[in-house]
Amino acid sequence: AQSVTQLGSHVSVSEGALVLLRCNYSSSVPPYLFWYVQYPNQGLQLLLKYTTGATLVKGINGFEAEFNKSQTSFHLRKPSVHISDTAEYFCAVTINTGFQKLVFGTGTRLLVSP
Amino acid sequence: DAGVIQSPRHEVTEMGQEVTLRCKPISGHDYLFWYRQTMMRGLELLIYFNNNVPIDDSGMPEDRFSAKMPNASFSTLKIQPSEPRDSAVYFCASSYYYRVTGELFFGEGSRLTVL
């Protein structure tokens, strides 16, 4: 079965700083990987996804993530964060074999301060 | 296009009462998912439907929970009787061609408080 581990439940940075949110996955077959963002009192929305092809994936709001097969990682980063990026970020994994449910990590709360 | 619509957004009820949460998926989507989010357990998949048919309800915690999807544009999650430990945010999500994309579109959630 697939799983994801998000290191760091809380991350605090200053506006304009680089942020890196870590995600490691476990999967016996090539995975599909996702990052979702949840703003306060809202549902989750897709930031970006990796299915096949280029390992560097660019998403909305200036976020990007790199699929690293050897390190089984899919870390999310943004070179310069804004206060509006304050939210909770979830890494998720599934596979394209039959139906496999999307498995979410426990989330990382990002706080961006002025 | 309207997104996934959930109602009510907030529900406060007393232990033992019946609770019904409602979801309207995005038109044309063929998968519908019900998730529960709590601080302790994070996001849990309760049940999902494909073309209105329940496929996997192994995440439904107890017989007190039931879900239906009578047509492609409506689903309900019912808790009867409700208990304080059911307090959580319940999300509905829909997807088109999930087997290929794996992408879910979430509603804004229904926050349930059981006193």
Side-chain angles (χ1 to χ4, degrees):
Chain A
Q2 298 74 246
S3 66
V4 290
T5 301
Q6 291 186 242
L7 298 175
S9 58
H10 291 80
V11 173
S12 295
V13 298
S14 298
E15 189 174 27
L18 164 73
V19 69
L20 180 71
L21 304 183
R22 300 178 184 274
C23 172
N24 287 88
Y25 70 90
S26 172
S27 177
S28 58
V29 298
Y32 285 4
L33 293 157
F34 304 80
W35 277 99
Y36 281 82
V37 60
Q38 184 179 27
Y39 299 104
N41 299 314
Q42 294 187 26
L44 283 73
Q45 56 183 279
L46 184 67
L47 265 182
L48 49 79
K49 66 179 180 182
Y50 169 80
T51 53
T52 58
T55 57
L56 181 62
V57 180
K58 294 186 183 297
I60 62 172
N61 300 338
F63 284 91
E64 61 184 28
E66 185 157 20
F67 171 63
N68 188 318
K69 184 178 180 181
S70 63
Q71 297 186 6
T72 63
S73 67
F74 191 58
H75 302 329
L76 179 72
R77 62 175 177 258
K78 184 171 181 177
S80 177
V81 291
H82 190 268
I83 290 176
S84 61
D85 293 322
T86 294
E88 189 159 17
Y89 293 80
F90 293 89
C91 184
V93 64
T94 188
I95 61 174
N96 184 26
T97 303
F99 179 89
Q100 293 292 333
K101 65 182 181 182
L102 196 59
V103 177
F104 286 91
T106 52
T108 298
R109 287 186 182 273
L110 174 64
L111 175 62
V112 182
S113 55
Chain B
D1 261 350
V4 175
I5 299 173
Q6 292 187 245
S7 65
R9 290 294 311 277
H10 301 273
E11 174 92 6
V12 180
T13 190
E14 293 187 347
M15 183 173 64
Q17 297 297 306
E18 178 180 292
V19 174
T20 299
L21 308 178
R22 298 171 177 80
C23 175
K24 177 179 170 56
I26 294 173
S27 177
H29 282 194
D30 55 347
Y31 281 89
L32 184 138
F33 304 80
W34 282 100
Y35 281 86
R36 178 170 68 175
Q37 186 179 38
T38 61
M39 290 292 291
M40 292 298 293
R41 301 174 68 91
L43 273 162
E44 303 174 274
L45 177 63
L46 300 178
I47 185 172
Y48 76 90
F49 296 82
N50 178 217
N51 293 323
N52 314 337
V53 176
I55 303 300
D56 185 351
D57 65 354
S58 60
M60 297 285 261
E62 299 171 34
D63 291 344
R64 299 184 295 106
F65 286 70
S66 62
K68 295 182 179 180
M69 192 166 185
N71 57 61
S73 59
F74 183 66
S75 177
T76 60
L77 178 67
K78 186 176 293 187
I79 309 172
Q80 166 64 17
S82 58
E83 297 183 3
R85 58 192 168 125
D86 302 331
S87 297
V89 181
Y90 291 82
F91 288 102
C92 176
S94 68
S95 179
Y96 174 69
Y97 213 25
Y98 174 82
R99 283 174 176 259
V100 173
T101 69
E103 181 176 349
L104 304 184
F105 294 80
F106 283 80
E108 294 191 323
S110 295
R111 182 176 295 275
L112 173 65
T113 302
V114 183
L115 303 175

